[in-house]
């Protein structure tokens, strides 16, 4: 295992972490903690919960870096999926945060991670999707965001938003119908 | 992906939460796929190192085993648990201490049951009962078996309190082992447990009493009480009843209750105790 | 400011005299204890570290007396000690070991203790080795870990017994940098038999031989002991037992001037050798 440096790729860092190199974990943390924090903060107003979710993320990465090799995901997307799931389980209640094994939150299946292409489809500036999303009511839009952008399941999205799973399902259906109407 | 990137103005608006929802989503979608834009997010270095240090500790700090969690639930402070659970990790000392303590217990059980050696030997063994295991533990964590004794011995915690805490760890495990043996092969096992109970009582009792008195005074008080009790019992009764007075089921229950009470005092008065722990 | 005062300190092991009436005063900065094996360096350091009780004489550290139990505990709160054979538990990881010693050093608050462990690991550049077990660390890394445990709790007096033994040149540099940084505000007392260590980082040097202090002063003054006694000559000096040929092909000797020799500038080592030679002669008399 060659030594890692600032120039190492994310995938190399993850391989080094799987081999037990703390230095690689530090580099990965310093590289990704900033944007993960900015993005998580838009989903949770409590900075302590966000900080804890980031910490949990990298502890989970330390334990499960070997599982990354089995996925074909992009490292950043993989990290995001872990982070947002850690946030969901932190919001479920601080008492359960450490008890639920972080391993359960590490995606084995690359398909649960939203691909870059899908995200582009979600719409950059141009096109009708942007204005349509803006016109959606906030609770419907947040569900679209949690499922399509964040890659959460409906159940996890419901936990993130603090609503019952059934409500989330109906709202998501309504959101899709509404989007279709707006785009028509 | 494409040649559109997040400029400083847009990033600022995103970070301040001023963007329209769809634009914010577009920024996030782009960030996830674009390393240069990700790294353009400013991070406060103090926050970054602070956040990292928690990750670092969690990755490296000793893992809490089942024993650790049990003791924590009982209300023992973290650093005491660390001391108790580190005691077995010093392998040679642990082995030497446990073997000696168990050996003493088995020897006592055999001696007292067979009645070999007569009353004088039995009495002297009884008098020494609570002290011998502590002496054994103290020796096992000394120079020959403990390679790091010179560092340990020059810390402020070094001294009788440290020996007693270690003795509790060793005797507690030795008693569990003896009790297991007692369940598996009835007979001497239970007698060995009985012999270790006064020692456990002396350790926890001394530490509990040391929350109010100086440790040597506490040890002397309890030692004196034990000595007086054994001598009084040997005066009052002779032969077989003597053993049953000091070692019988009633006495054993009393010791156990006293040890539990002492442990409770230790936990309740832990703040007080920590202040004077090694003085 | 004087941190440690030693007067008339003596220690015997049977008929062997380890320390014979040592008098010493040590203050803030780095003090080097120089001397051959068996000179009594370790015994003195062990007495100061409260690992050993002296037979007679007195020691005052921070105005406290290590012979008094309450004072001794207070002294132990303020010192860090690296023994010659630290005996670090091989099955502990670097982090565990430091955490354990930190508990013994009464850093009871978990958060504070972990911050302290992280700090000393960073000081000795072992941050990325925290998870490695002691038995898998190299000799130099183990020595650094030993130093790290001595630094836990930010002690006022750091006692290091042969800290640079077994280090490669690069690690020796790291050690020197670290020790001299420590000496800026604290009292550091280290033993060595390397005169280069003394020249490189000690403000004061104490030379011991046969259980006695034979020199106490600045390293420069130690070199001065051999002033006018170091010679260079083109031919091997006659009648001198100790001489060697240097890189320029000249013969260097210490003592009386050989025929046709030129005086050379003495170094710390010359002064040290002069002192040892002289005391050896004195003891023989
Ligand atoms: Zn970009």
């Amino acid at each position: 295992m060659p030594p890692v440096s600032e120039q190492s790729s994310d995938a190399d860092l993850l391989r080094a972490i799987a081999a037990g190199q703390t230095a690689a974990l530090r580099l990965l943390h310093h590289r990704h903690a900033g944007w993960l924090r900015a993005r998580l903060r838009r989903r949770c107003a409590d900075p302590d919960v966000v900080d804890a979710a980031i910490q949990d993320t990298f502890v989970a990465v330390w334990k499960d870096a070997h599982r990354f090799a089995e996925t074909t995901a992009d490292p950043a997307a993989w990290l995001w999926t872990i982070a947002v799931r850690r946030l969901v389980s932190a919001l479920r209640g601080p008492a359960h945060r450490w008890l639920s094994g972080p391993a359960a939150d590490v995606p084995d299946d690359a398909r649960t991670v939203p691909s870059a292409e899908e995200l582009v489809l979600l719409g950059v500036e141009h096109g009708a999707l942007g204005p349509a999303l803006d016109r959606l009511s906030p609770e419907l839009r947040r569900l679209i965001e949690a499922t399509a952008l964040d890659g959460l399941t409906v159940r996890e999205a419901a936990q993130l938003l603090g609503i019952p799973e059934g409500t989330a399902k109906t709202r998501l259906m309504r959101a899709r119908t509404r989007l279709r109407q707006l785009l028509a | 992906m494409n040649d559109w990137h997040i400029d400083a103005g847009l990033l600022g608006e995103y970070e301040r939460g001023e963007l329209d929802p769809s634009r914010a989503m577009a920024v996030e979608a782009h960030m996830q796929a674009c390393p240069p834009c990700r790294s353009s997010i400013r991070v406060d270095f103090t926050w970054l190192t602070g956040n990292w240090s928690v990750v670092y500790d969690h990755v490296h700090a000793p893992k809490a085993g089942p024993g650790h969690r049990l003791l924590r639930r009982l209300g023992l402070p973290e650093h005491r648990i660390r001391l108790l659970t580190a005691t077995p990790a010093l392998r040679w000392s642990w082995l030497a201490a446990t073997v000696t303590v168990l050996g003493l217990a088995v020897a006592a059980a055999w001696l007292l049951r067979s009645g070999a050696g007569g009353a004088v030997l039995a009495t002297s063994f009884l008098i020494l009962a609570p002290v011998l295991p502590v002496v054994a533990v103290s020796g096992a964590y000394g120079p020959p078996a403990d390679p790091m004794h010179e560092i340990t011995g020059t810390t402020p915690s070094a001294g009788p309190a440290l020996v007693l805490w270690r003795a509790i760890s060793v005797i507690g495990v030795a008693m569990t082992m003896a009790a297991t043996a007692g369940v598996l092969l009835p007979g001497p096992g239970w007698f060995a447990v009985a012999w270790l109970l006064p020692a456990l009582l002396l350790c926890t009792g001394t530490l509990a009493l040391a929350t109010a008195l100086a440790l040597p005074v506490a040890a002397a008080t309890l030692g004196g009480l034990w000595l007086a009790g054994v001598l009084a019992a040997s005066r009052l009764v002779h032969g077989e009843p003597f053993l049953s007075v000091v070692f019988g089921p009633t006495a054993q229950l009393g010791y156990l209750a006293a040890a539990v009470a002492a442990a409770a005092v230790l936990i309740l008065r832990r703040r007080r105790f920590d202040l004077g722990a090694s003085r | 400011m004087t941190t440690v005062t030693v007067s008339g300190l003596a220690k015997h092991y049977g008929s062997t005299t380890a320390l014979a009436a040592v008098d010493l005063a040590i203050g803030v900065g780095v003090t080097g204890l120089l001397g051959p094996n068996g000179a009594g360096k370790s015994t003195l350091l062990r007495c100061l570290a409260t690992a050993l009780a002296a037979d007679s004489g007195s020691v005052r550290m921070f105005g406290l007396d290590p012979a008094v139990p309450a004072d001794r505990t207070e002294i132990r709160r303020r010192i860090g000690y690296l023994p010659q054979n630290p005996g670090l538990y091989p099955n502990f990881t670097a982090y565990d070991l430091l955490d354990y010693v930190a508990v013994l050093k009464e850093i009871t608050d978990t958060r504070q203790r972990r911050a302290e462990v992280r700090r000393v690991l960073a000081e000795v550049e072992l941050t990325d080795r925290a998870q490695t077990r002691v038995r898998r660390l190299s000799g130099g890394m183990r020595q650094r870990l030993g130093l790290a445990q001595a630094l836990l709790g930010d002690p006022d007096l750091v006692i290091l017994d042969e800290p640079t033994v077994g280090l490669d040149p690069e690690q020796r540099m790291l050690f020197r940098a670290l020790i001299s940084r420590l000496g800026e505000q604290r009292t550091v007392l280290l033993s060595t038999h390397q005169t280069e260590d003394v020249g490189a980082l000690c403000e004061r040097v104490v030379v011991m031989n046969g259980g006695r202090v034979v020199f106490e002063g600045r390293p420069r003054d130690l070199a001065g002991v051999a002033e006018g006694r170091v010679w260079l000559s083109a031919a091997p000096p006659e009648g001198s037992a100790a001489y060697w040929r240097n890189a320029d092909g000249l013969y260097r000797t210490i003592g009386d001037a050989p025929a046709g020799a030129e005086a050379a500038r003495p170094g710390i080592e010359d002064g040290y050798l002069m002192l040892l030679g002289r005391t050896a002669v004195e003891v023989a008399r």
Side-chain angles (χ1 to χ4, degrees):
Chain A
M1 182 62 59
V4 289
S5 72
E6 304 268 0
Q7 280 71 44
S8 306
S9 72
D10 287 343
D12 284 344
L13 289 182
L14 281 164
R15 265 189 291 279
I17 293 167
Q21 286 190 33
T22 325
L25 186 68
R26 188 185 64 240
L27 288 169
L28 195 78
H29 175 273
H30 284 16
R31 190 179 290 174
H32 291 281
W35 72 270
L36 288 173
R37 180 195 191 202
R39 202 169 158 184
L40 288 174
R41 279 198 143 175
R42 225 166 61 76
R43 285 151 183 81
C44 171
D46 186 341
D48 292 340
V49 175
V50 168
D51 287 2
I54 294 170
Q55 286 148 5
D56 291 4
T57 302
F58 288 92
V59 171
V61 166
W62 174 255
K63 286 178 186 150
D64 291 299
H66 60 277
R67 290 165 75 176
F68 173 75
E70 298 155 21
T71 74
T72 49
D74 167 58
W78 190 70
L79 280 175
W80 167 253
T81 316
I82 300 173
V84 73
R85 290 196 171 155
R86 296 312 302 167
L87 183 72
V88 167
S89 52
L91 289 173
R92 218 161 39 195
H96 308 289
R97 200 151 60 76
W98 292 109
L99 294 179
S100 68
D105 300 306
V106 177
D108 270 327
D109 186 354
R111 279 172 307 171
T112 60
V113 180
S115 72
E117 287 83 345
E118 262 177 82
L119 292 168
V120 177
L121 285 181
L122 239 175
V124 196
E125 325 271 81
H126 318 291
L129 188 60
L133 280 168
D134 287 337
R135 285 177 61 191
L136 222 53
S137 72
E139 62 263 33
L140 297 189
R141 189 173 52 236
R142 283 207 204 98
L143 263 173
I144 293 278
E145 184 179 76
T147 51
L149 182 65
D150 294 345
L152 292 175
T153 64
V154 179
R155 187 194 187 139
E156 288 163 337
Q159 279 165 349
L160 177 68
L161 303 176
I163 53 174
E165 196 180 334
T167 316
K169 272 186 190 148
T170 13
R171 275 192 198 166
L172 192 59
M173 262 188 311
R174 263 173 45 214
R176 288 199 182 118
T177 322
R178 183 94 182 94
L179 265 186
R180 239 175 271 129
Q181 286 168 352
L182 287 168
L183 288 170
Chain B
M1 47 188 285
N2 54 28
D3 30 337
W4 179 78
H5 287 290
I6 302 165
D7 60 39
L10 186 63
L11 188 63
E13 283 178 84
Y14 169 74
E15 286 183 301
R16 288 190 299 274
E18 294 167 358
L19 287 181
D20 286 338
S22 70
R23 301 241 303 166
M25 287 164 83
V27 165
E28 291 185 344
H30 177 83
M31 247 176 10
Q32 182 153 315
C34 180
C37 285
R38 280 203 299 268
S39 60
S40 68
I41 289 200
R42 287 176 305 278
V43 208
D44 173 33
F45 193 69
T46 317
W47 175 83
L48 195 64
T49 46
N51 191 274
W52 164 245
S53 66
V54 177
V55 176
Y56 185 84
D57 287 340
H58 196 84
V59 163
H60 296 100
K63 300 289 166 286
H68 193 130
R69 282 196 293 270
L70 178 73
L71 292 170
R72 190 190 288 158
R73 205 158 302 166
L74 285 175
L76 211 61
E78 196 68 26
H79 65 280
R80 286 286 160 214
I81 303 178
R82 184 79 184 90
L83 201 62
L84 286 177
T85 52
T87 303
L90 319 182
R91 287 174 188 166
W92 289 112
S93 301
W94 174 254
L95 193 68
T98 312
V99 166
T100 316
V101 166
L102 274 178
L104 281 169
V106 169
W110 177 80
L111 195 70
L112 295 178
R113 264 170 73 92
S114 67
V120 176
L121 194 61
T123 312
S124 44
F125 231 96
L126 269 180
I127 290 170
L128 292 175
V131 182
L132 280 180
V134 180
V135 173
V137 171
S138 168
Y141 284 87
D146 181 358
M148 215 167 84
H149 67 95
E150 205 160 347
I151 288 175
T152 320
T154 54
T155 60
S157 302
L162 183 62
V163 172
L164 288 175
W165 279 105
R166 282 174 166 167
I168 289 178
S169 189
V170 172
I171 297 169
V173 171
M175 277 180 64
T176 315
M177 286 162 81
T180 314
V183 169
L184 294 178
L185 358 137
W190 285 116
F191 234 88
V193 176
W195 196 74
L196 288 173
L197 201 48
L200 190 69
L201 175 60
L202 184 80
C203 293
T204 50
T206 305
L207 285 173
L209 209 56
T211 60
L213 302 170
L215 199 132
V217 180
T221 308
L222 282 185
L225 277 175
W226 173 259
L227 196 66
V230 171
L231 288 181
S234 69
R235 280 276 172 94
L236 291 176
V237 283
H238 296 279
E240 195 57 29
F242 159 62
L243 273 184
S244 65
V245 167
V246 186
F247 257 127
T250 326
Q252 288 297 334
L253 270 178
Y255 300 149
L256 190 63
V260 168
V265 168
L266 267 187
I267 287 166
L268 287 176
R269 294 177 66 106
R270 58 181 179 269
R271 267 175 215 295
R272 181 70 194 276
F273 177 77
D274 282 331
L275 285 174
S278 42
R279 280 170 213 266
Chain C
M1 208 201 93
T2 311
T3 321
V4 181
T5 320
V6 175
S7 51
L9 199 70
K11 179 76 191 173
H12 305 271
Y13 295 105
S15 59
T16 318
T17 302
L19 292 177
V22 168
D23 297 301
L24 208 55
I26 300 159
V28 173
V30 183
T31 301
L33 207 51
L34 197 60
N37 289 331
K41 304 190 298 288
S42 279
T43 308
L44 177 61
L45 292 185
R46 295 182 70 216
C47 286
L48 295 180
T50 72
L52 196 67
D55 296 339
S56 59
S58 80
V59 177
R60 286 290 177 283
M61 302 163 82
F62 322 106
L64 300 162
D65 182 357
V68 177
D71 279 12
R72 185 161 60 232
T73 304
E74 192 51 42
I75 291 171
R76 286 173 175 171
R77 292 197 173 98
R78 298 176 63 178
I79 61 169
Y81 174 43
L82 172 64
Q84 198 168 359
N85 301 305
L88 308 175
Y89 302 126
N91 54 324
F92 275 49
T93 68
Y95 193 104
D96 282 2
L97 189 102
L98 293 175
D99 188 59
Y100 173 67
V101 177
V103 167
L104 295 174
K105 286 199 177 182
E106 298 180 327
I107 309 176
T108 51
D109 179 71
T110 305
R111 190 184 285 246
Q112 194 194 338
R113 191 169 67 245
R114 290 183 173 174
E116 187 61 9
V117 170
R118 253 185 282 118
R119 181 186 73 82
V120 298
L121 278 170
E123 286 262 30
V124 300
E125 297 185 14
L126 282 178
T127 300
D128 293 334
R129 293 296 178 148
Q131 195 74 332
T132 312
R133 293 196 187 278
V134 170
R135 83 173 101 82
R136 310 197 70 180
L137 291 174
S138 71
M141 286 182 185
R142 262 184 233 187
Q143 197 70 353
R144 270 146 65 189
L145 183 60
L147 180 62
Q149 67 75 29
L151 300 182
L152 283 167
D154 201 13
D156 298 321
L157 169 63
V158 181
I159 300 170
L160 310 170
D161 201 349
E162 304 271 7
T164 56
V165 155
L167 298 180
D168 61 34
E170 202 182 325
Q171 290 179 327
R172 192 175 282 256
M173 289 303 287
L174 175 73
F175 247 69
R176 283 182 186 165
L178 189 59
I179 290 170
S180 70
R181 219 178 327 130
L182 286 174
E184 283 167 14
Q185 279 156 45
R186 273 162 283 243
T187 306
V188 180
L189 182 58
L190 63 92
S191 72
T192 179
H193 45 242
Q194 300 269 344
T195 48
E196 303 112 83
D197 284 341
V198 171
L201 59 89
C202 298
E203 284 143 62
R204 295 188 65 75
V205 54
V206 174
V207 180
M208 290 188 73
N209 198 15
R212 287 168 203 279
V213 172
V214 294
F215 176 88
E216 192 182 351
R218 291 176 302 176
R220 197 186 314 163
D221 301 332
L222 178 55
V225 168
E227 190 67 59
R229 305 287 287 166
V230 184
W231 308 98
L232 286 173
S233 54
E238 276 173 42
S240 172
Y243 61 86
W244 63 92
R245 224 174 88 136
N246 69 10
D248 298 327
L250 296 171
Y251 292 88
R252 190 182 160 102
T253 180
I254 306 173
D256 296 330
E262 264 181 61
R265 256 190 73 189
I268 295 168
E269 182 144 23
D270 298 315
Y272 174 54
L273 290 173
M274 274 293 293
L275 274 175
L276 291 195
R278 195 194 290 163
T279 47
V281 172
E282 278 170 7
V283 168
R285 273 184 204 150

